Amino acid sequence: MNPNSNRFLSALAITAIAAVSLNSCKPKGAEAAISGDAASKVYVAPGKYDEFYDFVSGGFNGQMSVYGIPSGRLLRIIPVFSTFAENGYGFSEETKPMLNTSHGFVPWDDLHHIALSTTNGEHDGRWVFANGNNTPRIARVDLKSFRTAEIIEIPNSAGNHSSPFITENTEYTVAGTRFSIPIQGNPDVPINTYKQNFKGTISFVKVDSSTGHMNIAFQILTPGVNFDLSRAGKGKSHDWFFFSCYNSEKANTLLEVNASAKDKDFIMAVNWKKAEQYAKAGKGKMVPAEYAHNIYDEVKHQATSTIEKQVLMLDPKDCPDMIYFIPCPKSPHGTDVDPTGEYIVGSGKLAALIPVFSFTKIQQAIANKTFDGTFDGFPILKYEAVLHGEVQKPGLGPLHTEFDNNGNAYTSMFVSSEIVKWNIKDVKVLDRVPTYYSIGHLSVMGGPTRKPYGKYMIAYNKITKDRYLPTGPELAQSAQLYDISGDKMKMILDFPTVGEPHYAEAIPAEKIRNNSIKIYKIEENQNPYAAKGEAQTKVTRNGNEVHVYMTAIRSHLTPDNIEGIQQGDVVYFHVTNLEQDWDVPHGFAIKNANNAEILIMPGETQTLKYIADKVGIFPFYCTDFCSALHQEMQGYLRVSPKGSNVALMFSTGKNYPAVDTTTKTVKP
């Protein structure tokens, strides 16, 4: 029989096991899944706050969602890489530049992972980073405003999955190539020359410690593998970064078979401190690379997009002792570092065990050159020499591991739909609980930090059949909250999520809530189109461009009658919200617009572009309920034929005399 056929049958066997496991873990009743005192543990009384913010990646929706824990209440959806009609992100002229790329305006991405900023390895509540997997990008969300503040595109990459994970003091956020491609020379090569021509890159994006502003410090050219996930070291391993990689076979077709042929793939260990030193010493070279860098200014309430033209590339062949490969069975997915920084956990999706590596042993193996050959010229550390231990028979399909504050680890098992708790030191399984069903990521409160909070753990599941009310062919994804404060894990809440959750991180609410922006001070608004009072409202024409400087306040728009617009004009509605009260945004929309609304926060200015392509009277109005007279917060735009002599007029609260357009005289 063809060896490929054997591997294909093995894949079918795994699928069959998954199906059996899925059916076997279905709860026989509510009591099988939820403990009796669960309701009291997750109840948050009206008017009371949740203990944690939980920031959850949105996967294919390109957004990030924020939940309160333990209640599971959805607090906000933060648009990052996708246009969002709810608040006009990507529709307003101020936010459109945030979605600019070297490929033009790209209003979507695949947001898989987030990373909360840290200082000394502990959450500091300043920013949350997100990866764009499809059009390679990293975004930074400001946790004072809960808005996307910056997006930087990643050049020399065809996918960004092992991202945006950060170093202990948020010195760097990283981006590892998911799909290797031809990086240097002619990009037009046959796909089946993958082994000869395809390469990967790891990008180290520097984060300014005070502003958070990002720039690509350097990229490292790597062998042509697929980087899956990554984690930075902690404490003693601070200077290192660990990247799981699969497809060491360098296959280019039917990867489910051809990229699972070897018993072991690798975790790539990168000494980023040494790479930083090589970059400063001039070991890299600047290479052409076109990529967009987009920044939102919270004072001007405007985004700018700059196209950068080059990046510093380090070739490891010129930078010795920077990269090593650690064998990891089999088809690694997650790689995670425990709070002490001593233990690195690998998760091979097709492995029947979980390997745990020792950083101390890794350093000893490097010093003693305890190698087991090379991969693309880079040393492979001997598996037995760097191994701390193996968790035996943990379950089927290990994916991700996080840690509590008591020396325990928790690993998600995709195929057997469960979470396994085990001790890091002796690698013994302590407990296991079912999930419903096919868990992907899991999140322990503070699990990726030096000081986890423990208490709760959340499972993010891919399949929810029979859990919630049916909604057609596609059902909601789910999160399941577990109490991990005792020896045994107990499910205490099961709630649907915005699709599709991948990774999440939770942070105590007290680290964020008191720093939250409530208003933008109107006197500090530096938007060039701001009208800081009704006396500053106006309508101006420049050729076929018309600019409306408008204000909004409960409960009217100024101006609310506009005439003299001609068919073919491009009208910019610059709306300034004059409110100086918390949680009083105003919206703006106009009939016949082909984009969306805009939502303007107190003291802010936002702009809606409108093409006047039809003659007629077009109403506009506030879209966000703001007062008892919200319904009356409206106005009219008159569009006349091209070349008409209707004067440009605007007003609020009074009617101008009607003008006879044929005689240009005022009618009585």
Side-chain angles (χ1 to χ4, degrees):
M1 181 180 285
N2 187 314
N4 281 348
S5 299
N6 284 326
R7 289 194 290 271
F8 187 66
L9 290 173
S10 298
L12 290 176
I14 290 172
T15 303
I17 292 171
V20 171
S21 301
L22 184 77
N23 289 324
S24 66
C25 70
K26 286 184 178 180
K28 302 300 184 287
E31 69 281 358
I34 301 290
S35 59
D37 61 347
S40 63
K41 290 185 176 181
V42 301
Y43 179 70
V44 179
K48 299 296 183 181
Y49 291 149
D50 277 285
E51 186 178 354
F52 292 92
Y53 287 101
D54 191 33
F55 294 87
V56 185
S57 63
F60 47 63
N61 73 26
Q63 301 161 353
M64 185 187 301
S65 52
V66 187
Y67 293 84
I69 298 298
S71 73
R73 298 182 295 202
L74 177 63
L75 303 176
R76 176 152 298 278
I77 294 174
I78 303 173
V80 181
F81 300 114
S82 296
T83 53
F84 194 50
E86 180 179 310
N87 63 12
Y89 180 83
F91 292 103
S92 74
E93 295 305 294
E94 284 79 5
T95 59
K96 281 180 182 177
M98 294 301 291
L99 301 179
N100 190 39
T101 75
S102 62
H103 308 283
F105 184 76
V106 179
W108 172 83
D109 214 315
D110 191 11
L111 195 164
H112 276 215
H113 309 118
I114 59 95
L116 286 162
S117 59
T118 56
T119 301
N120 296 323
E122 299 177 43
H123 286 150
D124 57 31
R126 293 182 295 169
W127 311 299
V128 55
F129 299 88
N131 75 314
N133 185 31
N134 185 68
T135 303
R137 289 176 276 185
I138 290 179
R140 176 176 59 88
V141 172
D142 190 325
L143 291 181
K144 287 184 178 180
S145 62
F146 280 62
R147 281 183 163 178
T148 302
E150 187 174 10
I151 296 177
I152 192 165
E153 189 180 1
I154 307 299
N156 299 314
S157 176
N160 176 33
H161 193 259
S162 55
S163 178
F165 304 108
I166 58 173
T167 50
E168 278 194 291
N169 292 299
T170 321
E171 299 98 334
Y172 293 97
T173 176
V174 300
T177 303
R178 177 177 177 182
F179 308 104
S180 290
I181 55 171
I183 298 292
Q184 299 171 322
N186 180 17
D188 182 21
V189 298
I191 296 172
N192 63 11
T193 64
Y194 185 113
K195 293 180 180 179
Q196 294 76 37
N197 293 312
F198 287 45
K199 293 287 187 181
T201 55
I202 299 292
S203 302
F204 281 81
V205 179
K206 186 70 175 173
V207 181
D208 184 273
S209 60
S210 58
T211 65
H213 286 175
M214 302 183 291
N215 69 279
I216 299 176
F218 55 86
Q219 295 185 311
I220 300 175
L221 192 67
T222 70
V225 295
N226 298 51
F227 292 107
D228 202 336
L229 284 157
S230 59
R231 284 292 187 192
K234 303 181 182 78
K236 62 176 67 178
S237 57
H238 170 83
D239 296 355
W240 291 76
F241 226 109
F242 304 92
F243 297 84
S244 61
C245 50
Y246 62 103
N247 195 23
S248 57
E249 297 87 349
K250 296 187 179 180
N252 60 274
T253 185
L254 196 61
L255 264 64
E256 66 170 322
V257 172
N258 295 321
S260 302
K262 294 182 179 180
D263 288 333
K264 290 185 175 70
D265 284 282
F266 299 111
I267 291 173
M268 188 177 80
V270 178
N271 187 327
W272 65 262
K273 269 290 187 183
K274 189 162 285 189
E276 184 181 63
Q277 292 164 5
Y278 280 132
K280 290 179 180 177
K283 291 293 185 180
K285 66 177 182 178
M286 301 301 295
V287 298
E290 190 173 276
Y291 60 100
H293 189 183
N294 312 325
I295 300 174
Y296 188 81
D297 187 323
E298 288 277 16
V299 177
K300 293 183 178 179
H301 310 296
Q302 288 181 318
T304 56
S305 179
T306 305
I307 298 295
E308 307 288 351
K309 295 294 186 181
Q310 59 183 5
V311 69
L312 181 66
M313 182 76 74
L314 296 177
D315 190 330
K317 292 184 173 63
D318 303 324
C319 306
D321 306 322
M322 186 172 68
I323 290 179
Y324 298 88
F325 284 90
I326 303 168
C328 184
K330 179 181 182 186
S331 296
H333 189 59
T335 180
D336 297 284
V337 180
D338 89 306
T340 70
E342 170 62 20
Y343 302 109
I344 297 94
V345 180
S347 294
K349 299 190 296 291
L350 303 182
L353 52 80
I354 301 172
V356 183
F357 303 101
S358 161
F359 181 75
T360 300
K361 290 183 177 181
I362 289 170
Q363 296 307 295
Q364 291 171 348
I366 291 172
N368 298 331
K369 299 187 184 302
T370 311
F371 302 148
D372 192 8
T374 61
F375 178 72
D376 268 27
F378 299 102
I380 300 174
L381 303 180
K382 192 172 182 63
Y383 180 76
E384 294 78 6
V386 298
L387 186 69
H388 164 67
E390 296 174 335
V391 183
Q392 297 293 325
K393 299 181 179 179
L396 297 174
L399 293 184
H400 306 281
T401 300
E402 292 220 339
F403 309 92
D404 66 15
N405 52 336
N406 296 311
N408 301 312
Y410 301 78
T411 301
S412 58
M413 300 288 173
F414 177 79
V415 177
S416 52
S417 291
E418 60 183 333
I419 297 171
V420 174
K421 175 182 178 180
W422 51 277
N423 182 267
I424 300 170
K425 290 286 182 65
D426 64 17
V427 295
K428 299 294 186 184
V429 172
L430 302 173
D431 190 25
R432 63 179 71 238
V433 290
T435 62
Y436 308 98
Y437 311 97
S438 298
I439 180 176
H441 281 274
L442 80 169
S443 174
V444 174
M445 306 297 102
T449 72
R450 289 187 70 173
K451 292 184 178 180
Y453 317 115
K455 193 168 184 177
Y456 301 118
M457 173 182 63
I458 306 174
Y460 292 97
N461 306 322
K462 304 303 182 187
I463 298 172
T464 58
K465 57 182 64 179
D466 81 20
R467 301 301 295 173
Y468 309 126
L469 287 171
T471 52
E474 184 188 16
L475 305 178
Q477 280 85 18
S478 90
Q480 292 177 315
L481 180 68
Y482 294 80
D483 179 350
I484 59 170
S485 58
D487 291 337
K488 298 295 183 181
M489 299 175 280
K490 296 179 181 179
M491 187 193 298
I492 55 175
L493 185 65
D494 180 328
F495 59 99
T497 65
V498 175
E500 179 207 15
H502 285 260
Y503 184 54
E505 279 190 40
I507 181 173
E510 64 188 19
K511 288 181 176 282
I512 295 177
R513 73 177 186 218
N514 293 331
N515 297 323
S516 189
I517 291 175
K518 294 186 176 181
I519 64 168
Y520 295 98
K521 293 181 180 179
I522 192 71
E523 65 270 19
E524 296 176 359
N525 184 334
Q526 294 181 19
N527 187 297
Y529 298 102
K532 298 183 182 182
E534 292 185 0
Q536 296 180 17
T537 59
K538 58 185 177 181
V539 180
T540 64
R541 175 182 289 281
N542 181 15
N544 75 328
E545 261 189 21
V546 177
H547 292 266
V548 179
Y549 296 72
M550 179 179 283
T551 60
I553 194 166
R554 289 168 286 186
S555 297
H556 62 273
L557 298 162
T558 303
D560 65 5
N561 279 205
I562 304 170
E563 301 189 38
I565 306 302
Q566 298 188 15
Q567 188 175 15
D569 282 348
V570 179
V571 183
Y572 293 91
F573 290 94
H574 309 289
V575 186
T576 300
N577 183 347
L578 296 181
E579 307 284 356
Q580 293 288 268
D581 192 6
W582 189 23
D583 196 28
V584 188
H586 287 296
F588 179 84
I590 181 169
K591 183 179 184 296
N592 200 43
N594 60 4
N595 41 21
E597 68 146 7
I598 52 174
L599 196 63
I600 312 101
M601 298 300 113
E604 183 185 41
T605 301
Q606 290 287 290
T607 301
L608 185 72
K609 181 180 178 180
Y610 174 74
I611 308 296
D613 58 355
K614 292 183 179 180
V615 173
I617 303 294
F618 299 95
F620 52 79
Y621 63 102
C622 174
T623 55
D624 192 272
F625 194 95
C626 56
S627 70
L629 296 176
H630 162 75
Q631 197 74 2
E632 286 76 14
M633 196 169 173
Q634 63 185 54
Y636 293 101
L637 180 79
R638 176 186 175 188
V639 179
S640 300
K642 183 72 174 175
S644 68
N645 56 6
V646 176
L648 190 64
M649 297 184 295
F650 59 96
S651 64
T652 299
K654 58 183 173 181
N655 286 308
Y656 285 107
V659 176
D660 187 326
T661 58
T662 58
T663 64
K664 300 181 183 178
T665 60
V666 176
K667 292 183 179 180

